[in-house]
Every structure is written in structure tokens, then in C-alpha cells.
């Protein structure tokens, strides 16, 4: 699946590449909305910031987290990373949601 996503992106089919990433992410248990509004993105950012503050996750504590070992989460991170790269071109409002979810999986 990652090869297909990269092939689509190399062919400038960024929206299709993102759609494929989101399908894979759904299969890995990570759901994302198909239509993201600016208000929805701001809301997700606020929730993540609040969670980090409530759990006292500082930059220093974040750096000290152990390496991720859950293979499902690692694969999800790889596909979120790819979707993030392509969303800059095709679906920029998706990028904050991807970043927020990556933080949630990490912490």
C-alpha cells in the first residue's frame, strides 16, 4: 500500500494518495474525517494542547519517552507522515489533524 501511495504522489495524484493513506489508516484503527473545517482543526489542536498540559508533558519529558514498539502504531505513523507530506498540496486542513493524532499516539 505504501508503494501505491508513493506512486500516486509521484504522478502528482496527491488527493488519491491521501485517500489511500486514510483507507490504510482506517484499517489500522485511525479514523479521520473526510472534510475538515478550520474550526475543527483548531478544536483538535486545543484538545491536544490541553491534554499535554494536563499530563505535564513538557518538551523535555517528550524527548525522554521510550521508542515506540507497537507495530500497528508504527505503521499508522508512517502513513500519517506520508499523508501529511501530501496534504500540504492537496488537503492542507488535514495536516493539523494528522499532527494531533501523531502526538496522541506518541504520548
Amino acid at each position: 500500500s505504501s508503494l501505491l501511495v508513493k506512486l500516486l504522489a509521484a504522478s502528482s495524484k496527491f488527493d488519491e494518495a491521501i485517500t489511500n493513506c486514510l483507507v490504510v489508516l482506517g484499517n489500522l484503527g485511525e479514523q479521520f474525517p473526510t472534510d475538515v473545517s478550520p474550526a475543527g482543526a483548531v478544536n483538535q489542536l486545543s484538545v491536544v494542547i490541553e491534554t499535554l498540559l494536563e499530563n505535564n508533558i513538557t518538551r523535555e519529558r517528550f524527548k525522554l519517552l521510550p521508542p515506540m514498539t507497537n507495530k500497528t502504531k508504527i505503521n499508522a505513523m508512517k502513513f500519517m507522515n506520508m499523508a501529511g507530506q501530501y496534504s500540504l498540496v492537496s488537503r492542507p486542513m488535514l495536516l493539523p489533524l494528522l499532527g494531533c493524532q501523531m502526538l496522541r499516539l506518541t504520548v
Side-chain angles (χ1 to χ4, degrees), residues 63-78:
K63 290 178 183 178
L64 295 174
L65 291 172
M68 189 177 286
T69 56
N70 182 311
K71 298 291 185 194
T72 302
K73 287 184 179 182
I74 292 170
N75 283 324
M77 292 289 247
K78 289 178 183 178

Side-chain angles (χ1 to χ4, degrees), residues 2 5 14-15 20 22 24 26 29-31 33 43 49 60 62 64 66-67 72-73 77 91 97:
S2 66
V5 169
F14 300 111
D15 199 57
N20 275 276
L22 295 178
V24 172
E30 304 299 326
Q31 302 295 323
N43 181 50
I49 290 169
E60 291 74 28
F62 190 80
L64 295 174
T72 302
K73 287 184 179 182
M77 292 289 247
R91 298 188 205 175
L97 299 185

Side-chain angles (χ1 to χ4, degrees), residues 22-105:
L22 295 178
V23 168
V24 172
L25 286 165
N27 291 335
L28 293 171
E30 304 299 326
Q31 302 295 323
F32 290 89
T34 53
D35 188 33
V36 184
S37 68
V42 169
N43 181 50
Q44 287 298 312
L45 288 169
S46 297
V47 169
V48 167
I49 290 169
E50 185 178 313
T51 302
L52 292 173
L53 291 173
E54 285 175 357
N55 293 303
N56 196 28
I57 304 293
T58 63
R59 187 175 293 183
E60 291 74 28
R61 286 186 68 191
F62 190 80
K63 290 178 183 178
L64 295 174
L65 291 172
M68 189 177 286
T69 56
N70 182 311
K71 298 291 185 194
T72 302
K73 287 184 179 182
I74 292 170
N75 283 324
M77 292 289 247
K78 289 178 183 178
F79 278 91
M80 282 188 271
N81 181 49
M82 283 189 285
Q85 291 174 26
Y86 310 138
S87 71
L88 287 172
V89 176
S90 181
R91 298 188 205 175
M93 292 310 305
L94 183 61
L95 188 56
L97 299 185
L98 292 164
C100 289
Q101 189 58 22
M102 291 174 94
L103 276 170
R104 283 190 200 103
L105 283 180

